[in-house]
Amino acid sequence: MEQQAKVIDSTINLNNISDLELLKQLIRELIKDNEISALRKLLRINKNCMKFKTKDLNEELYKDGYRFVKRNGVMTYIQVKRKPKYGESIERCQSILNKINNY
């Protein structure tokens, strides 16, 4: 006797997730799996994400080189470009100046 497993469709519409803890858990998993584009899409389409404070998210869900920001009424996850250290910048300028003088 063969039994067929019933498949239950338990999909949740991403637009309608109102449970903030569930949203935070989903965001945490997306960051852990390095699914940055999927995370950005979630932040755009689910308006409840705006209820989070970016400072709290940045502290709780830290990933090196990224941070949460709110722009034009929408939360997003951006890559942070760090400025070079002052000393390194001066050394580069000095190196280029030396090259110019040698020509």
Side-chain angles (χ1 to χ4, degrees):
M1 177 191 263
E2 293 181 31
Q3 294 181 354
Q4 295 180 353
K6 293 183 180 180
V7 178
I8 299 172
D9 185 21
S10 63
T11 58
I12 299 173
N13 189 348
L14 293 176
N15 298 337
N16 299 330
I17 300 174
S18 59
D19 182 9
L20 295 182
E21 285 304 314
L22 178 62
L23 268 175
K24 192 178 285 189
Q25 184 179 0
L26 177 57
I27 291 169
R28 184 178 289 114
E29 289 298 318
L30 289 171
I31 291 172
K32 187 174 95 175
D33 294 340
N34 204 29
E35 294 289 342
I36 306 302
S37 60
L39 172 59
R40 288 176 178 154
K41 181 76 169 179
L42 172 68
L43 294 173
R44 270 195 317 271
I45 64 172
N46 190 310
K47 300 304 177 193
N48 290 315
C49 291
M50 286 297 291
K51 294 178 181 177
F52 292 119
K53 293 181 180 178
T54 55
K55 182 178 181 180
D56 294 340
L57 286 177
N58 286 324
E59 289 174 358
E60 291 178 36
L61 307 173
Y62 177 77
K63 179 177 172 84
D64 192 35
Y66 288 91
R67 65 180 215 165
F68 291 92
V69 295
K70 290 181 181 177
R71 292 185 176 164
N72 300 323
V74 178
M75 185 180 295
T76 190
Y77 195 57
I78 64 167
Q79 190 170 15
V80 178
K81 296 180 181 176
R82 303 199 190 268
K83 295 180 181 177
K85 296 179 182 173
Y86 177 76
E88 292 174 3
S89 298
I90 295 298
E91 290 173 7
R92 287 186 201 146
C93 290
Q94 189 64 46
S95 172
I96 292 172
L97 180 62
N98 290 341
K99 286 180 185 178
I100 291 171
N101 286 336
N102 291 334
Y103 287 122

